[in-house]
Amino acid sequence: MKLLHLSDLHIGKIIYEQSLLEDQEYILKEIIKIAKKEKVDAVLISGDIYDRSIPPADAVDVLNDFLNKLIKILKIKVFIISGNHDSKERLNFGSKIFENDGLYIQTTYNGKITSIELSDKINIYMLPFIKPIEVKQYFETEKIDTYNEAIKLIVDNEKIDENKVNILMAHQFVTAGNKSPETCESETTLNVGGIENVDSSNFDKFDYVALGHIHGPQRIGKDTIRYSGTMLKYSFSEANHNKSAVLINIKNNKSVEYKLIPLKPLRDMRVIKGPIEELLNKENYKDTNTQDYIKAIITNKEPVYDAIGQIRRVYPNTLSLEISNIKSSIQNVELENIEELKQKDEFELFDDFYEFQNNIRLDDEQKKIIKDIINRSICR
Ligand SMILES: [Mn+2]
């Protein structure tokens, strides 16, 4: 039996005013190819299906297409739990009806973790993203303040048949002892080291835990408790991630093996850095995909005219531009006292200001220009 573990699709995501829908559609087609080639029996999607609780109509279309191809054409079962970005009510629409066709959606906790028999030897436990407050009503005598207390009670309350292979889907901030997962900028609502932590030891009874919430693919505590990570990079802090889906192979209804299948995007997301002349030199970019999403860091000492326009002529999908020169490395700036400042004339003040900004003094030509300007304006 083979399963494909995904999470955090964030369909409909927009970064720097750029819709990623075309990229998402492309990578979902790649995922369908993988599912077909590997002959997977089920796809698990561990939360954050959409990027927003009210997804745009074209995002709904893209998910609809993806599910249709998997379920109707390839006859692959799909299991979905809601993440913190999803609206429980909206994502839950039709869930009871869809089960007949092999689409299982779970968006609430009702006092027990919903479990579905994938076969008579394999159970899929579906635990959507939940907050401690949603759990309290089921354990009235217990103290539940933290996420860890909530999840511990939920799992301890389950009768898990250890003679079967038990897979858990969850969408939480899972830590292992004092070790937190590696995070990045696109996970907007995380409090690292806070009350959201859920310890991985709570999941010891499960043979594999398919996690969502953290966007970098990684193991937590052990190899079989994993974040699949996002299918695409969703921030420049992920430029060095290698995105993947997890292929889980359950052998003889017993042992669980896994392997990471790389996901190759339509456009990569990467950071380029250097003086603008170098970034625009064909020798330096001719072997790269100039359609990639780019963050350009320009290191020229002097101001560059229309830097974003120049960069976009080579890299049309430049989303972010940063100027990083010596002025950002100024340290230990001491302000002169106000009396000293009052003694200075316009030119001296500008001269100081320029040095403060750029960490170098005006050269002779620049001095002449500034003096001219000041003289002219004073005469008027
Ligand atoms: Mn997410």
Side-chain angles (χ1 to χ4, degrees), residues 8 10 48 84-85 171 213 215:
D8 299 84
H10 288 269
D48 284 358
N84 52 313
H85 280 250
H171 190 96
H213 201 32
H215 290 180

Side-chain angles (χ1 to χ4, degrees), residues 312-328:
R312 279 194 174 140
R313 251 169 263 146
V314 173
Y315 298 98
N317 297 316
T318 300
L319 300 182
S320 166
L321 180 82
E322 220 176 86
I323 312 287
S324 163
N325 52 27
I326 34 179
K327 74 181 167 192
S328 35

Side-chain angles (χ1 to χ4, degrees), residues 32-272:
I32 287 167
K33 282 187 208 162
I34 293 166
K36 194 174 171 185
K37 183 172 164 243
E38 299 289 346
K39 300 192 171 66
V40 307
D41 300 283
V43 172
L44 315 180
I45 313 176
S46 298
D48 284 358
I49 309 308
Y50 293 118
D51 192 52
R52 286 182 264 159
S53 59
I54 304 181
D58 47 7
V60 178
D61 264 354
V62 167
L63 180 68
N64 192 34
D65 249 28
F66 177 63
L67 295 178
N68 263 327
K69 280 184 189 129
L70 285 176
I71 296 164
K72 282 288 180 195
I73 299 172
L74 298 176
K75 309 290 178 204
I76 293 170
K77 288 184 175 164
V78 177
F79 295 80
I80 291 176
I81 58 168
S82 49
N84 52 313
H85 280 250
D86 300 307
S87 152
K88 291 172 185 291
E89 293 78 11
R90 290 189 180 85
L91 192 64
N92 192 43
F93 173 81
S95 60
K96 282 282 162 272
I97 306 163
F98 302 152
E99 282 184 6
N100 295 328
D101 287 316
L103 171 59
Y104 302 88
I105 300 173
Q106 193 62 41
T107 66
T108 51
Y109 174 71
N110 306 314
K112 269 190 80 59
I113 309 178
T114 297
S115 86
I116 307 288
E117 284 188 349
L118 186 60
S119 73
D120 54 2
K121 291 277 186 246
I122 301 171
N123 291 325
I124 310 280
Y125 284 85
M126 305 175 75
L127 180 62
F129 174 73
I130 41 164
K131 296 177 178 167
I133 189 119
E134 298 165 69
V135 178
K136 278 191 167 150
Q137 55 178 310
Y138 302 105
F139 302 94
E140 272 171 5
T141 57
E142 308 281 347
K143 170 183 164 294
I144 308 177
D145 293 323
T146 65
Y147 282 66
N148 192 62
E149 287 162 354
I151 301 292
K152 185 169 171 23
L153 275 171
I154 288 174
V155 174
D156 287 351
N157 189 45
E158 295 293 326
K159 288 192 188 66
I160 294 162
D161 183 351
E162 295 192 46
N163 294 317
K164 294 188 177 177
V165 174
N166 299 297
I167 312 275
L168 174 71
M169 299 169 70
H171 190 96
Q172 302 289 347
F173 189 80
V174 179
T175 53
N178 54 11
K179 205 168 172 294
S180 289
E182 253 172 64
T183 59
C184 55
E185 280 168 15
S186 63
E187 300 137 355
T188 42
T189 57
L190 297 178
N191 282 323
V192 179
I195 57 151
E196 295 191 11
N197 292 15
V198 172
D199 199 79
S200 61
S201 60
N202 293 315
F203 303 133
D204 280 347
K205 283 184 183 155
F206 293 97
D207 298 282
Y208 183 87
V209 184
L211 292 172
H213 201 32
I214 301 296
H215 290 180
Q218 58 199 292
R219 72 197 278 280
I220 299 295
K222 57 181 180 184
D223 276 351
T224 49
I225 302 179
R226 302 195 76 86
Y227 284 105
S228 66
T230 49
M231 55 183 184
L232 292 171
K233 298 173 186 176
Y234 286 143
S235 70
F236 285 106
S237 70
E238 292 156 69
N240 296 323
H241 284 187
N242 292 310
K243 298 298 186 181
S244 53
V246 191
L247 182 69
I248 305 154
N249 196 350
I250 304 169
K251 285 192 170 163
N252 309 319
N253 288 325
K254 219 173 160 185
S255 67
V256 174
E257 292 175 5
Y258 77 93
K259 126 176 141 180
L260 303 184
I261 313 279
L263 296 173
K264 293 265 170 293
L266 179 63
R267 306 175 187 90
D268 198 3
M269 190 172 286
R270 57 195 174 92
V271 181
I272 55 174

